[in-house]
Amino acid sequence: MKKVTLVLSDGTKFHGKSFGYDAPVAGEVVFNTAMMGYPESLTDPSYAGQLMTLTFPLVGNYGVPPFTFEENGLPTFMESDKIYASAIIVNDYSEQYSHWNAVESLADWLKREKVPGITDIDTRELTKVLREHGVMMGKILFDDEPDNIPEANYEGVNFVDQVSCKEIIRYNEGAGKKVVLVDCGVKANIIRCLINRGVEVIRVPWNYDYTDMDFDGLFLANGPGDPDMCEDAVNIIRKQISQSRKPICGICMGNQLLSKAAGATIYKLKYGHRSHNQPVRMVGTNNCYITSQNHGYAVDAKTLDNDWEELFVNMNDGSNEGIRHKVNPWFSSQFHPEACSGPVDTEFMFDKFVETLK
Ligand SMILES: NC(=O)CC[C@H](N)C(=O)O
């Protein structure tokens, strides 16, 4: 294992070893406090451009599931067709793995997909640094090579355009109600959750104008990077809500884009929410849900237009976790009701959306 150094933009250094693909890389360093789920997180397109730090110390001990695909083209066990995170940073990589569904080690997968992975990093200390300072850009450098990789940008990059599908893809054709799914970097389990509820899904590129298409409801998916880069998508949502009352539901980036269309502004959280145990309260009730999350930006709910209101709020920091329109069937969550990985307590969001289609 080659020796590496993780250098943060404030100069802080962490020394470790490479266990994935041996190449230097730069990106935004974020932390995820979930205890498992690295195959799903690595293939979540919302991690594009980021070096994903895991606080749970032992990583790799259950290996990696096979990259098989269902008849409808969706991956059976992963959230997309490849690794989207720029790198993974762990404390104690387990070289031995054991699981009924594992076909290879995490190291072999990373090498095959040319994604760096580093171990022997004190990821809890690294997380404390990020919590104090806020997320930072960083580089993984090889100790025996000069630093000759360019600085990376995160804010100001349209990652959604890089990861969205380029043409329309249909699932469950002829099933009944038709849902247009705006693909900002959609996780496969959002599509599974929709087709399992018997609807047809028409997946369109993030900036596709669907407003004149024949459909029954609109679903706005998750996606990487700064929502302020997606003005085109916001303008199309504005056009849609000005001409029709058809149901709309959004998740994560979808919550942010719907909120922007509803007049709200977005800000960057100090260190984001990335875990399986984010407590979220439904506004106006005492119902609290434990949710799966992966986001770095948040909606400033105070800036929503008057005909919209907050639907969920985060119990840790009070930030917005979802919105709804006061009259029309338009609502969204900042958390991930499709989980994958994480708790499935909020899958009712899909039930609610499909009910409103009928
Ligand atoms: N998972 C997502 O959709 C994330 C949305 C957005 N990229 C953020 O970080 O806030």
Side-chain angles (χ1 to χ4, degrees), residues 28 44-47 50 154 160 184-185 187 221-227 251-254 256 266-267 269 274 293-298 334 336:
E28 184 180 60
D44 173 353
S46 294
Y47 277 106
Q50 294 175 325
Y154 188 76
V160 164
C184 295
K187 285 173 65 190
N222 64 290
D226 183 349
I251 292 176
C252 209
M253 180 63 101
Q256 297 166 349
I266 307 289
Y267 63 97
L269 292 164
R274 295 177 184 86
Q293 300 201 13
N294 166 26
H295 66 111
Y297 297 84
Q334 189 58 54
H336 286 268

Side-chain angles (χ1 to χ4, degrees), residues 189 193 197 337-338 344-352:
N189 208 40
C193 285
R197 286 167 176 77
E338 84 286 3
V344 292
D345 309 25
T346 51
E347 255 200 53
F348 62 81
M349 293 288 284
F350 291 97
D351 298 329
K352 195 94 206 145

